[in-house]
Amino acid sequence: MQKRQKTILVVKLFVGYFKMSKLGKKPILLPKDSTVKVDSGSLLVSGPKGTQKLIFNEKMFSSKINEKNEFEISPKNKDKKSSLMWGTYRSLINNAVLGVTKGHEKNLELSGVGFRASTKGDKLVFQLGFSHEVTYTIPKGINVKIEKQTKLNISGSDKELVSKVSADIKSLKPVEPYKAKGIKEKDQFVIRKEGKKK
């Protein structure tokens, strides 16, 4: 009885390896103006908005471009580690392809009396209700557009960097729950609290 249970468990684990990454099996469509090249452990993605270089483990994964101009990766060894990393690698490559062709962006909003933003060279200058101005240096590869002094559009080809910049700016004045004053993403849901009643 115990041997039968062990056999069933092994079969379930074996089947599970191949069901772990439905995302990894999906091919990545390459637009006409983008290219992907694997060379010496790195993957270079090029497009109209720039280039991105990713680490690519050629010992763990193989890659090819099919007849539909789709980029595919597949694990060389059907083990647990490869199955777990398969979807992650696919997502990173897909994000890079989208970044160099369409770009990534985040939209932020400033909410509060007197809250506003402006640019001075490579710096963002904020008025956030403090007694002093708050400055933030814009990293290379990031473009920031300001509309009506209260709306910011952050764009770039690197999704991770765009998200980091957005998070850094939001941390300058997190949204408070009573009057929802602060910096938030567009359409971000804010849990409100009722103030003290007299």
Side-chain angles (χ1 to χ4, degrees):
M1 188 69 179
Q2 290 181 348
K3 288 184 178 179
R4 186 181 177 186
Q5 288 177 344
K6 287 182 179 179
T7 304
I8 293 172
L9 180 62
V10 170
V11 171
K12 285 183 177 179
L13 289 172
F14 183 77
V15 172
Y17 291 154
F18 299 97
K19 290 186 177 180
M20 277 183 185
S21 186
K22 293 180 179 179
L23 182 63
K25 295 176 183 178
K26 293 182 180 179
I28 300 168
L29 179 63
L30 299 177
K32 294 180 181 179
D33 48 0
S34 66
T35 59
V36 176
K37 183 180 180 182
V38 178
D39 184 33
S40 302
S42 62
L43 187 143
L44 188 66
V45 185
S46 303
K49 292 187 177 290
T51 60
Q52 282 197 52
K53 190 176 183 180
L54 305 174
I55 297 172
F56 187 78
N57 192 335
E58 293 181 273
K59 293 181 180 179
M60 187 180 294
F61 297 100
S62 60
S63 62
K64 67 174 183 178
I65 298 176
N66 62 26
E67 65 278 359
K68 296 181 181 179
N69 199 35
E70 295 174 332
F71 185 78
E72 297 177 343
I73 63 169
S74 56
K76 291 183 177 180
N77 301 314
K78 305 296 183 180
D79 56 13
K80 186 175 181 180
K81 186 178 180 181
S82 298
S83 297
L84 291 173
M85 294 299 294
W86 192 5
T88 303
Y89 265 85
R90 192 264 178 197
S91 294
L92 291 173
I93 297 167
N94 187 56
N95 287 338
V97 171
L98 291 175
V100 299
T101 52
K102 297 180 180 179
H104 299 284
E105 66 176 25
K106 293 275 187 179
N107 293 296
L108 304 182
E109 297 177 346
L110 279 67
S111 179
V113 178
F115 285 21
R116 59 183 183 273
S118 59
T119 55
K120 287 184 180 179
D122 63 342
K123 294 183 183 295
L124 288 172
V125 181
F126 294 95
Q127 297 285 349
L128 299 172
F130 301 121
S131 60
H132 58 279
E133 293 181 339
V134 179
T135 60
Y136 179 81
T137 303
I138 304 171
K140 291 183 179 179
I142 294 294
N143 297 316
V144 179
K145 293 180 181 179
I146 299 175
E147 298 177 11
K148 299 180 181 179
Q149 296 185 321
T150 58
K151 295 181 179 181
L152 284 76
N153 176 268
I154 303 165
S155 60
S157 61
D158 189 336
K159 185 177 182 179
E160 184 179 352
L161 184 58
V162 170
S163 299
K164 182 181 182 302
V165 170
S166 175
D168 288 345
I169 293 174
K170 286 194 294 181
S171 69
L172 298 176
K173 186 69 175 179
V175 178
E176 51 87 20
Y178 297 101
K179 294 184 179 179
K181 291 182 180 180
I183 306 173
K184 65 176 183 178
E185 279 191 48
K186 185 180 179 181
D187 300 325
Q188 176 183 336
F189 178 74
V190 179
I191 298 175
R192 302 292 295 273
K193 291 183 179 180
E194 188 177 358
K196 291 183 179 179
K197 294 182 178 179
K198 293 182 180 180

